[in-house]
Amino acid sequence: MVTIGVYGFDGESFLRRLRQADVRLLLDVRQRRGVRGPEYAWANSRRLQAALAQAGIAYEHHPELAPTTELRRLQYAEDDRQGVGKRSRRELAPEYTRRYTIEILDHADPTPIASEPPGGGSAALLCVERDPEACHRSLIAQRLTEQHHITIEHLRPPCG
């Protein structure tokens, strides 16, 4: 299994990176499936799903793994306190991590997303942050590793 964010990619490089990792199923773990800014219009749900379908990659939305609005606000407050923007965040706030784990992960059954996609290949957890350490997808990946012994690779955008 792999994880991938939106930031740092354009639509073409995003799909190319998924193909390189032999991704056959994209698991969207965003609460709100839109991304602000014209450079990321390709990642808005309908456009993304159409591009994935054309590339032969299945799509599933898993809102049960998305952070609540309250949790996102908690992280934004910590970002503000540290003077970092969402797109430049490098790590999650400890309180966000604790509460996401208790409120979301401890109540979710990761078994359905831990299965290999039909037809082989791999699945990808998707959210928006560039760095997995700054995103709840890393917490999901850690849980999958601990409970299902799944190897996780974090895909990053090309440098430059």
Side-chain angles (χ1 to χ4, degrees):
M1 179 172 279
V2 301
T3 79
I4 192 166
V6 169
Y7 295 150
F9 285 101
D10 58 31
E12 185 179 311
S13 64
F14 181 84
L15 290 172
R16 183 170 45 253
R17 191 67 185 100
L18 291 178
R19 279 191 220 91
Q20 288 170 348
D22 195 25
V23 170
R24 307 279 177 88
L25 173 62
L26 188 107
L27 305 163
D28 192 338
V29 295
R30 300 177 290 175
Q31 179 190 41
R32 295 163 53 216
R33 295 181 290 161
V35 183
R36 291 187 180 174
E39 71 271 33
Y40 295 111
W42 62 268
N44 292 328
S45 182
R46 288 187 183 163
R47 289 180 183 168
L48 178 60
Q49 288 182 61
L52 290 168
Q54 191 170 20
I57 300 170
Y59 173 92
E60 292 178 6
H61 183 219
H62 286 273
E64 74 279 7
L65 293 170
T68 62
T69 299
E70 180 185 352
L71 283 172
R72 288 192 353 265
R73 287 183 181 146
L74 177 91
Q75 181 63 55
Y76 297 157
E78 181 63 16
D79 293 344
D80 288 345
R81 191 183 74 72
Q82 291 188 13
V84 298
K86 180 179 178 184
R87 294 183 189 191
S88 58
R89 178 187 317 134
R90 294 285 178 228
E91 63 185 7
L92 292 170
E95 182 63 6
Y96 173 94
T97 299
R98 184 186 76 75
R99 287 193 48 199
Y100 177 82
T101 300
I102 292 168
E103 296 173 23
I104 307 292
L105 274 183
D106 287 349
H107 298 281
D109 178 9
T111 304
I113 65 169
S115 306
E116 185 176 301
S122 62
L125 292 170
L126 167 75
C127 199
V128 296
E129 286 80 4
R130 173 190 165 91
D131 297 312
E133 302 83 8
C135 180
H136 74 287
R137 73 180 186 270
S138 67
L139 303 176
I140 300 167
Q142 180 180 354
R143 177 66 55 97
L144 290 169
T145 298
E146 291 167 355
Q147 290 186 354
H148 296 274
H149 310 288
I150 294 173
T151 301
I152 305 288
E153 178 186 0
H154 299 290
L155 305 181
R156 299 179 191 262
C159 296

